[in-house]
Amino acid sequence: MLNFKELRNNLKKDYSGLKVIKIAILGDSATQLLVQAIKSYGYTEKMNFKIYEADYRQIEQEIINLDSKFYEFNPEYIVIFESTEKLINDFYKLDKVNQKNYADTHIEKIKSLWARVNSKLNCKIINFNYVEINDNVFGNYGNKVETASIYQIRKLNLNLMEAAREYKNIFINDVCALQNIYGRENTFDPRLYISSNIVFALDFLPMIAKNIVDIIKAAGGKINKCLILDLDNTVWGGIIGDDGINNIQIGELGIGKAFSELQMWAKQLKERGIILAICSKNSEKIAKEPFIKHSDMVLHLDDISVFVVNWENKIDNIKYMQSILNIGFDSMIFVDDSSFERNMIRKMIPEIVVPELPEDPVDYVPYLRSLNLFETISYSDEDSNRTKKYQYEAKRAEFKTNFSSIDDYLKSLDMVAEVAEFDDYHIPRIAQLTQRSNQFNLRTKRYNEQDINKIRKSNQYITRYFKLKDKFGEYGLISITILKKIDSGSVFIDTLIVSCRVLKRGMEEFIFNKILNLAASEGCNKIIGEFLPTPKNTLVKDIFKEFGFTKEEDICFLYFLSTIATITNTLKESYSSKSFKLVSMVSVSSSSTSNASFRLFKNSSFFILSIFLLLFRLILCILLVKLIIKFKLNKISNTKIYFIIYEILS
């Protein structure tokens, strides 16, 4: 970590071309140097922070006054910083009754400020918690005295955590935990505080800035999803091929405890939803023995999503892992005790994060924890099941090698899709998908749970989620679409996201076909799409063109327009070369209109019948056109003609 002086050199660098993000910083003490640290650290993450800094100790005034420059600035993120030093000074001025109720009273004030902001702005709030300062008025006994400042500070931090759970756009910058790591003597400079009213030591500011930027990165979809572990002298001490299963170092005794601590940390990450993978140069059979037979192993084979152990180079092995997991290299963490292997991965796959693991294994876990590698802004029950999903994906990859034809492989999976409107149960996962998906994401618009709930309840939107399963297991919720009604004849594709885990399986066509059916059911004859490019969504830059949309130029955005009839024909042509093929090959297995499950058939005779029916409908269309000409019905608009044709085709 750079010290403050080194970090501040970034202010002299060229920020042009970096993504601009608007941040407002409201504090009750001097924030000028904090602003510099945040701005400078943003540069290291290729972000250009445009920062509004409120006047000194004007938090409430800025938020309460709806005409303030703060609201005019319209930030994407708000950083609220109240110092413990100021709180203690205010606390001392209260009588005993109010001291006793201080934490409860203060949290209500904070919640009222959050609510005020949320009534006016659509933004995310990063609220500092409170470093613990024990004034030792009561000594250790202060932990039992309600009128002790340390009692109220700790209670306030607990209240803050509980309150933040009620708001999906509130996140806590845990400066209290940072102080616990680095120590009060390294985080607070009394001379700086007395002379300048700055409550954090200069070289502590980069750590605080990193914490804030970590949250912003996670909110923007930049999260780490996979932890790749070496085995020898990383997961256990010693070399399994030389030392044997009985002589590797794990367990409660000696240095083995350091390796067991690493395994326990990795296990907790897996339970949270982080993908665990093994990449080691070893004999696979020998490398698996400890996972199966060693009683002190914390990790077991069913904790590992992808197990790649051979004598090939780790660069190729990691690329193979990436092909199975279908996630970006920039969402992977590679942990290896060998400096040679670390440097090789850094050089050949620079997107991967490669921590510089300490020489001594006792420092492994403290060091890795200090990096905050797995920041997130959401968590759902589905996360804890992620390991099995990727294990299934590894089985699919192995199964795929038995087929020479991709269509035959897809048909053999017996895939079943479930489609339904957004509901309360799935809102956390739906919001999470908007926050984390980057590749098949047309507009990369991020929504929190409150946003999704508002959309779900609005008559202006049409919503659907998609689930998928096959013979190997559940993919879970893999896609969402949000259509916005523009007028009586048009809908706009506000959001279309498909999980990278199911790409190239025909789901793209299936989902687009569902979109056109939804639009038709609303009586629309036009679907408007928009592609907003990012560094990560180039995969779908031509998706509208592929599905027959026509491009309409605009000075600000690219719009792709098409009548439903045109989309229908294009989709049907596209389906003919896919395993999923025509919509007529999809059978409704449930009579429920709000929660239908579709099974994809592979019966060739059924396909021939479908083609015959399509030709029959085309003949009807030709006859219709002739009738229009014959009876001079040319007063009917082209759009209506297309819609009539679509009705016949459907």
Side-chain angles (χ1 to χ4, degrees):
M1 175 68 71
L2 299 176
N3 62 38
F4 179 72
K5 184 177 180 181
E6 294 168 336
L7 184 67
R8 194 163 58 172
N9 287 332
N10 285 343
L11 294 174
K12 304 173 185 177
K13 296 181 180 178
D14 182 12
Y15 283 73
S16 62
L18 301 183
K19 181 180 180 181
V20 176
I21 298 174
K22 296 169 70 175
I23 304 176
I25 298 180
L26 286 64
D28 66 356
S29 58
T31 56
Q32 297 93 326
L33 298 183
L34 177 62
V35 167
Q36 292 180 24
I38 294 171
K39 176 78 173 178
S40 300
Y41 200 89
Y43 181 84
T44 67
E45 297 294 339
K46 300 180 180 179
M47 299 176 184
N48 180 7
F49 293 140
K50 184 178 180 181
I51 299 177
Y52 172 85
E53 182 182 6
D55 291 337
Y56 170 71
R57 211 166 191 185
Q58 295 293 304
I59 298 175
E60 290 183 66
Q61 291 84 340
E62 289 274 12
I63 291 176
I64 291 172
N65 180 12
L66 295 179
D67 295 322
S68 67
K69 292 181 180 179
F70 160 70
Y71 287 107
E72 183 181 335
F73 180 70
N74 192 24
E76 299 167 69
Y77 295 88
I78 301 170
V79 176
I80 298 178
F81 162 49
E82 290 185 307
S83 67
T84 304
E85 288 79 4
K86 295 295 183 186
L87 258 64
I88 288 178
N89 287 339
D90 292 342
F91 178 81
Y92 286 162
K93 298 172 185 176
L94 301 175
D95 58 37
K96 294 299 182 183
V97 174
N98 286 315
Q99 284 183 343
K100 185 177 179 180
N101 298 321
Y102 183 76
D104 293 333
T105 302
H106 197 73
I107 197 61
E108 290 304 318
K109 185 182 82 171
I110 292 171
K111 288 167 66 175
S112 70
L113 295 177
W114 292 347
R116 183 75 165 177
V117 169
N118 287 338
S119 70
K120 182 74 172 179
L121 299 175
N122 183 18
C123 65
K124 295 176 175 63
I125 300 174
I126 301 173
N127 211 114
F128 280 49
N129 65 3
Y130 304 93
V131 298
E132 295 182 358
I133 302 174
N134 193 344
D135 59 9
N136 279 318
V137 170
F138 290 91
N140 290 303
Y141 195 72
N143 290 285
K144 298 176 66 175
V145 180
E146 289 182 295
T147 54
S149 63
I150 187 64
Y151 184 99
Q152 291 298 321
I153 291 167
R154 287 174 173 159
K155 185 177 180 181
L156 181 55
N157 276 334
L158 177 61
N159 287 349
L160 188 68
M161 289 190 292
E162 293 295 336
R165 286 165 54 87
E166 302 173 18
Y167 297 81
K168 301 303 180 182
N169 67 323
I170 306 295
F171 307 99
I172 296 175
N173 180 22
D174 197 351
V175 290
C176 183
L178 287 178
Q179 179 177 273
N180 290 340
I181 294 171
Y182 297 104
R184 179 70 176 166
E185 67 279 5
N186 296 314
T187 62
F188 178 72
D189 184 340
R191 292 176 180 81
L192 193 62
Y193 173 59
I194 295 300
S195 63
S196 306
N197 200 35
I198 296 173
V199 298
F200 295 124
L202 289 182
D203 288 338
F204 185 46
L205 292 173
M207 286 79 165
I208 298 172
K210 178 184 181 300
N211 248 25
I212 293 170
V213 174
D214 283 346
I215 295 171
I216 293 173
K217 283 167 55 184
K222 178 64 178 74
I223 59 173
N224 293 320
K225 302 175 182 179
C226 177
L227 175 62
I228 303 173
L229 296 169
D230 175 45
L231 291 178
D232 294 335
N233 292 313
T234 302
V235 168
W236 53 64
I239 301 173
I240 185 64
D242 295 338
D243 300 328
I245 189 172
N246 294 323
N247 295 311
I248 58 173
Q249 295 167 310
I250 43 176
E252 288 296 312
L253 300 177
I255 196 63
K257 186 173 183 178
F259 297 102
S260 291
E261 293 270 332
L262 177 64
Q263 289 190 38
M264 284 189 279
W265 181 68
K267 180 93 167 185
Q268 288 304 303
L269 288 172
K270 173 256 178 182
E271 295 296 330
R272 201 212 88 179
I274 299 301
I275 305 162
L276 296 188
I278 297 295
C279 183
S280 175
K281 290 182 178 178
N282 256 308
S283 165
E284 181 176 344
K285 183 178 179 181
I286 294 173
K288 283 184 175 180
E289 278 189 16
F291 290 91
I292 300 169
K293 298 179 181 179
H294 203 299
S295 60
D296 288 328
M297 282 290 290
V298 178
L299 292 175
H300 301 286
L301 290 179
D302 59 3
D303 295 315
I304 311 301
S305 294
V306 184
F307 195 97
V308 180
V309 174
N310 53 43
W311 297 104
E312 302 298 323
N313 70 79
K314 293 191 177 183
I315 298 163
D316 289 340
N317 283 340
I318 289 176
K319 288 181 177 178
Y320 169 72
M321 287 179 172
Q322 190 270 342
S323 70
I324 292 176
L325 299 172
N326 206 2
I327 59 176
F329 287 120
D330 61 353
S331 61
M332 293 177 163
I333 309 292
F334 176 68
V335 174
D336 195 311
D337 70 295
S338 166
S339 59
F340 171 81
E341 298 290 359
R342 293 197 300 267
N343 290 329
M344 186 64 70
I345 297 301
R346 287 191 190 107
K347 182 178 180 181
M348 302 306 295
I349 317 178
E351 301 94 333
I352 294 181
V353 176
V354 184
E356 189 60 21
L357 210 60
E359 289 290 330
D360 193 335
V362 301
D363 295 322
Y364 284 0
V365 172
Y367 170 71
L368 291 170
R369 284 175 176 167
S370 72
L371 298 179
N372 190 30
L373 295 167
F374 298 99
E375 184 67 60
T376 187
I377 63 163
S378 63
Y379 175 76
S380 69
D381 292 338
E382 194 163 325
D383 288 338
S384 58
N385 298 321
R386 187 167 286 123
T387 295
K388 285 199 174 296
K389 291 174 184 174
Y390 283 105
Q391 288 172 341
Y392 295 149
E393 196 58 37
K395 291 178 181 178
R396 291 182 189 103
E398 184 178 355
F399 181 64
K400 185 179 179 181
T401 61
N402 298 322
F403 296 87
S404 58
S405 164
I406 186 65
D407 284 347
D408 290 341
Y409 163 66
L410 292 176
K411 290 174 183 176
S412 70
L413 291 177
D414 296 329
M415 289 181 281
V416 177
E418 178 186 324
V419 187
E421 296 179 10
F422 290 1
D423 55 34
D424 286 336
Y425 177 78
H426 289 97
I427 281 179
R429 172 58 180 159
I430 290 167
Q432 190 181 73
L433 203 59
T434 72
Q435 294 157 6
R436 296 186 175 187
S437 297
N438 296 300
Q439 295 183 66
F440 198 116
N441 194 336
L442 298 179
R443 301 180 69 233
T444 318
K445 193 168 184 180
R446 311 297 185 185
Y447 287 121
N448 59 38
E449 292 181 31
Q450 288 173 313
D451 297 328
I452 295 297
N453 199 36
K454 288 178 183 177
I455 289 171
R456 182 179 74 88
K457 294 178 178 179
S458 171
N459 292 327
Q460 192 178 3
Y461 293 93
I462 307 167
T463 64
R464 291 293 186 272
Y465 69 76
F466 298 79
K467 288 184 172 182
L468 186 67
K469 66 179 178 180
D470 64 17
K471 67 194 298 179
F472 289 101
E474 300 268 357
Y475 289 89
L477 195 152
I478 48 83
S479 177
I480 64 165
T481 182
I482 300 173
L483 305 181
K484 186 175 183 180
K485 301 173 188 176
I486 302 299
D487 52 45
S488 60
S490 304
V491 292
F492 172 65
I493 303 176
D494 175 271
T495 300
L496 175 56
I497 298 171
V498 182
S499 170
C500 55
R501 291 183 290 121
V502 297
L503 296 181
K504 306 303 180 184
R505 284 167 168 77
M507 277 301 295
E508 301 96 307
E509 291 86 348
F510 179 74
I511 292 165
F512 259 95
N513 201 65
K514 187 64 180 175
I515 288 173
L516 88 89
N517 286 335
L518 289 170
S521 68
E522 293 291 325
C524 298
N525 58 17
K526 184 182 291 185
I527 300 176
I528 303 172
E530 181 182 44
F531 172 69
L532 299 179
T534 71
K536 290 190 174 184
N537 70 351
T538 54
L539 174 73
V540 291
K541 64 184 177 66
D542 296 321
I543 196 73
F544 287 114
K545 181 180 178 181
E546 292 172 9
F547 289 132
F549 284 60
T550 56
K551 184 176 179 181
E552 181 175 284
E553 296 292 345
D554 187 276
I555 59 173
C556 295
F557 303 102
L558 296 177
Y559 290 90
F560 301 81
L561 308 176
S562 177
T563 63
I564 286 180
T566 305
I567 299 172
T568 305
N569 291 334
T570 304
L571 279 175
K572 290 188 174 182
E573 290 170 7
S574 178
Y575 268 106
S576 64
S577 62
K578 296 289 183 181
S579 172
F580 285 7
K581 304 198 187 308
L582 299 173
V583 175
S584 57
M585 297 182 70
V586 182
S587 165
V588 179
S589 63
S590 170
S591 59
S592 170
T593 58
S594 64
N595 194 348
S597 178
F598 301 94
R599 180 168 296 278
L600 306 171
F601 294 131
K602 54 184 178 181
N603 190 312
S604 59
S605 62
F606 193 86
F607 175 64
I608 294 170
L609 178 61
S610 300
I611 294 295
F612 174 78
L613 291 173
L614 176 61
L615 291 172
F616 178 73
R617 289 169 180 171
L618 288 173
I619 292 169
L620 288 177
C621 289
I622 294 169
L623 291 174
L624 177 62
V625 172
K626 287 182 177 180
L627 285 172
I628 291 171
I629 296 171
K630 183 176 180 180
F631 293 103
K632 298 181 179 181
L633 296 177
N634 54 346
K635 291 183 179 180
I636 299 175
S637 69
N638 288 335
T639 299
K640 289 183 178 178
I641 292 173
Y642 287 142
F643 191 68
I644 292 169
I645 292 172
Y646 167 73
E647 288 291 336
I648 293 174
L649 282 172
S650 61

